[in-house]
Amino acid sequence: QKEVEQNSGPLSVPEGAIASLNCTYSDRGSQSFFWYRQYSGKSPELIMFIYSNGDKEDGRFTAQLNKASQYVSLLIRDSQPSDSATYLCAVRERARGSARQLTFGSGTQLTVLP
Amino acid sequence: GAVVSQHPSRVICKSGTSVKIECRSLDFQATTMFWYRQFPKQSLMLMATSNEGSKATYEQGVEKDKFLINHASLTLSTLTVTSAHPEDSSFYICSARPSSGGGTSPLHFGNGTRLTVT
């Protein structure tokens, strides 16, 4: 079983719609959760991070975390063609020292249709 | 925000030669940096964890003698691909997290290095 799972997509939504990206993780002790966006041929860029159960909003982006169900999601409101990219979910497991790396999901490819 | 600079962005080399990639944290100190590799259409694969002043920790299946990592200061880590072969052609990305940020702070990525071995 993969530690961090995402639907690879591709996910297509029309411009202006809400895009919903989901991620599940296996380690119940995970503490930190991150969403990165990666354009083709570029390195990932951080969109949001969330540590506590519930919703966290930043502009058009909302991250949702449910530790009991072990899932984290990213909602993109008013989707724009420029949001078309691969979205990577990353999870940091329970602290085992400061060097604990992130575990990445395989990414969901999102296409926003004009 | 935290900036990670990676150089070069693109390199083409001949088979058998070595290539050095630099990763610098520009406005923060990073005790630990991470090196990832990404093949087309695939996700990031962690290669190794670079630790300032000590040996790097390599992931299973990554040859430490082929991928030499040096983390000589709190702001610089280098990855040297030795005796490169065409199968080493990939997108190499470094990342770092501020040492002062604790275990919950996010990783910041460099812009990546596209390595092509001919």
Side-chain angles (χ1 to χ4, degrees):
Chain A
Q1 180 185 3
K2 289 185 179 179
E3 295 180 8
V4 179
E5 291 205 46
Q6 294 180 254
N7 187 327
S8 62
L11 172 66
S12 295
V13 299
E15 184 175 356
I18 296 176
S20 178
L21 305 163
N22 299 313
C23 173
T24 58
Y25 59 94
S26 60
D27 185 352
R28 186 170 290 277
S30 297
Q31 297 184 334
S32 310
F33 308 86
F34 306 86
W35 283 100
Y36 288 85
R37 176 176 62 197
Q38 186 176 25
Y39 293 110
S40 180
K42 303 294 184 181
S43 66
E45 55 180 323
L46 180 69
I47 297 177
M48 291 193 69
F49 55 90
I50 187 168
Y51 308 137
S52 304
N53 275 329
D55 295 0
K56 179 181 179 182
E57 186 175 318
D58 183 1
R60 295 188 296 113
F61 299 96
T62 299
Q64 300 174 318
L65 175 61
N66 184 323
K67 289 187 177 181
S69 301
Q70 294 175 239
Y71 86 79
V72 56
S73 63
L74 179 69
L75 301 178
I76 306 175
R77 290 181 299 281
D78 188 23
S79 297
Q80 301 297 309
S82 58
D83 295 327
S84 298
T86 297
Y87 289 80
L88 300 169
C89 171
V91 175
R92 180 172 291 131
E93 298 170 4
R94 75 195 77 193
R96 297 178 193 172
S98 62
R100 191 62 186 165
Q101 70 271 18
L102 294 182
T103 300
F104 283 87
S106 57
T108 298
Q109 185 181 340
L110 171 67
T111 300
V112 180
L113 304 171
Chain B
V3 177
V4 176
S5 173
Q6 188 173 340
H7 178 80
S9 58
R10 186 180 295 269
V11 59
I12 301 173
C13 70
K14 292 187 176 181
S15 185
T17 61
S18 296
V19 174
K20 178 184 283 189
I21 303 171
E22 290 189 350
C23 181
R24 294 181 184 272
S25 55
L26 296 186
D27 51 0
F28 64 95
Q29 293 184 333
T31 307
T32 305
M33 294 185 178
F34 304 94
W35 287 95
Y36 292 85
R37 180 168 54 183
Q38 187 176 35
F39 292 105
K41 305 292 185 182
Q42 296 187 21
S43 190
L44 299 170
M45 292 178 55
L46 180 66
M47 299 176 64
T49 302
S50 172
N51 305 299
E52 187 269 336
S54 64
K55 292 182 179 180
T57 305
Y58 290 82
E59 295 300 302
Q60 190 174 9
V62 178
E63 300 175 58
K64 62 179 181 180
D65 294 331
K66 180 171 183 62
F67 299 99
L68 301 179
I69 291 174
N70 186 291
H71 195 151
S73 76
L74 288 172
T75 59
L76 174 64
S77 175
T78 61
L79 168 68
T80 301
V81 183
T82 63
S83 187
H85 289 94
E87 57 265 30
D88 298 324
S89 299
S90 187
F91 192 45
Y92 292 85
I93 313 172
C94 73
S95 67
R97 184 177 69 234
S99 300
S100 58
T104 57
S105 56
L107 280 182
H108 299 275
F109 286 88
N111 287 330
T113 297
R114 177 78 58 194
L115 171 63
T116 303
V117 185
T118 61

